[in-house]
Amino acid sequence: MLASDLTIEYPAHGPSPAFVAVRGLDLRVQPGEVLGLLGESGSGKSTIARVLAGQFLEAPRGDVHPVITGGDAEVFGESLRKLRRRDADRLMFEVGYVAQDASENLPPNFTVSEIVAEPILLRDRHYNRKALEARVVTMVDAVRLPLSVIPRYPYELSAGQRQRLAIARALVLDPALLIADEPTAAIDALVRHSIIDLIRELQEHSAFSALVISHDLAVLRRIADRIAVLKDGVLVGYGTIDDVLANPLHPYVERLASELVGLSGASEQD
Ligand SMILES: Nc1ncnc2c1ncn2[C@@H]1O[C@H](COP(=O)(O)OP(=O)(O)OP(=O)(O)O)[C@@H](O)[C@H]1O
């Protein structure tokens, strides 16, 4: 994945004027790398995730979808600026996407089995049923869910289990790139690390590239090889976590670095 001078805008709608959410972004996720995208609320992280996952050609009723108004991004050589509906469907099968609210938006009337199997059937509705069942078992097991959840519905699972289910669904087609938007946001602190460690473990096993988004540096420290720091839609830090924090190029990064020093000072005193 390569973004060059990428600018993304929400067009004017109703009384709301047009809004540039991401400006002049240069970003690359290398093959097999986990890149962390860090930034405070409203900095444009979800907009980038949605665009890079190719899920920006449609918007929910009454809303607008983001538009690439400058530069471009390429995902597996596909220009997102020129993306058409047909290409977006194909991209959906190549990029695993865990949206920010994925675990809360799982189809309520589908069982775990149907939810994990759905992307396979969308790609090939004649897929062999026995192979499909076997793939569901493999994925449920891979995300460390008990096989007893297979006939259950999302509302019967805990928030952490639903998140594992969303990850299983995103990875069922063996994507070469995973985009995970705040994968630990809806989960209590105790389970948070286990979800992040699970993504890292799956990534190491299957060697996919990943863009993991979080507002929490501690989360990214656990998983990312490098980070990109976003502030008000602009990249203000990019590199290994240690390099970015050691050479802050923006007051926001400086603040992050000093907060971290404060934290480690506090833990030394404990
Ligand atoms: N549909 C929309 N129309 C207009 N502006 C929008 C729309 N969706 C998001 N924005 C604006 O774009 C900016 C970036 O939003 P985005 O959701 O990408 O941020 P974020 O970093 O993911 O925030 P959070 O961590 O809170 O999810 C925000 O200022 C937001 O208000």
Side-chain angles (χ1 to χ4, degrees):
M1 190 295 294
L2 174 69
S4 317
D5 200 20
L6 179 68
T7 293
I8 307 170
E9 186 173 322
Y10 289 95
H13 58 297
S16 312
F19 181 78
V20 178
V22 177
R23 198 183 292 272
L25 180 77
D26 291 310
L27 207 65
R28 180 193 287 271
V29 183
Q30 321 259 22
E33 173 190 37
V34 179
L35 181 71
L37 185 57
L38 177 74
E40 51 193 14
S41 183
S43 57
K45 307 182 298 296
S46 295
T47 303
I48 293 172
R50 193 174 156 193
V51 167
L52 294 181
Q55 314 255 325
F56 64 105
L57 296 182
E58 280 165 16
R61 270 171 78 101
D63 201 354
V64 284
H65 58 84
V67 176
I68 298 178
T69 52
D72 200 356
E74 277 184 12
V75 178
F76 306 125
E78 185 94 57
S79 156
L80 296 187
R81 196 159 183 177
K82 298 189 199 120
L83 197 72
R84 309 234 172 275
R85 183 68 272 158
R86 205 167 14 118
D87 309 322
D89 288 345
R90 188 159 35 79
L91 206 61
M92 201 172 73
F93 299 136
E94 289 172 13
V95 179
Y97 177 42
V98 182
Q100 188 162 19
D101 46 8
S103 64
E104 286 142 49
N105 282 336
L106 293 164
N109 302 327
F110 277 27
T111 62
V112 166
S113 169
E114 289 164 337
I115 289 169
V116 176
E118 193 187 24
I120 297 180
L121 291 174
L122 284 173
R123 190 175 64 177
D124 173 8
R125 64 197 167 88
H126 301 297
Y127 199 85
N128 177 280
R129 294 288 143 166
K130 279 261 167 288
L132 193 63
E133 277 170 30
R135 185 68 185 148
V136 168
V137 169
T138 301
M139 291 314 297
V140 167
D141 189 49
V143 296
R144 310 272 181 275
L145 281 171
L147 299 187
S148 57
V149 302
I150 287 177
R152 302 242 181 100
Y153 290 90
Y155 63 83
E156 297 179 279
L157 308 183
S158 71
Q161 287 178 321
R162 278 198 294 274
Q163 193 62 13
R164 285 168 191 268
L165 173 56
I167 293 168
R169 177 186 164 95
L171 293 177
V172 72
L173 294 176
D174 257 334
L177 174 65
L178 173 73
I179 297 179
D181 190 355
E182 297 277 7
T184 60
I187 295 166
D188 69 62
L190 284 174
V191 192
R192 212 167 277 168
H193 285 167
S194 67
I195 294 288
I196 279 296
D197 294 346
L198 169 71
I199 295 177
R200 181 83 223 194
E201 200 184 300
L202 293 168
Q203 188 273 335
E204 279 170 2
H205 180 262
S206 303
F208 51 78
S209 314
L211 181 68
V212 177
I213 293 170
S214 179
H215 63 275
D216 186 345
L217 186 57
V219 163
L220 295 182
R221 210 180 240 302
R222 245 183 139 81
I223 188 166
D225 301 311
R226 296 184 305 140
I227 54 165
V229 187
L230 210 62
K231 172 86 173 111
D232 299 331
V234 175
L235 198 63
V236 293
Y238 191 33
T240 65
I241 295 184
D242 290 340
D243 283 351
V244 168
L245 296 180
N247 307 295
L249 300 175
H250 187 279
Y252 173 60
V253 183
E254 216 167 302
R255 208 167 69 229
L256 283 174
S258 60
E259 277 168 14
L260 213 64
V261 170
L263 278 180
S264 62
S267 63
E268 273 162 26
Q269 284 164 17
D270 286 347

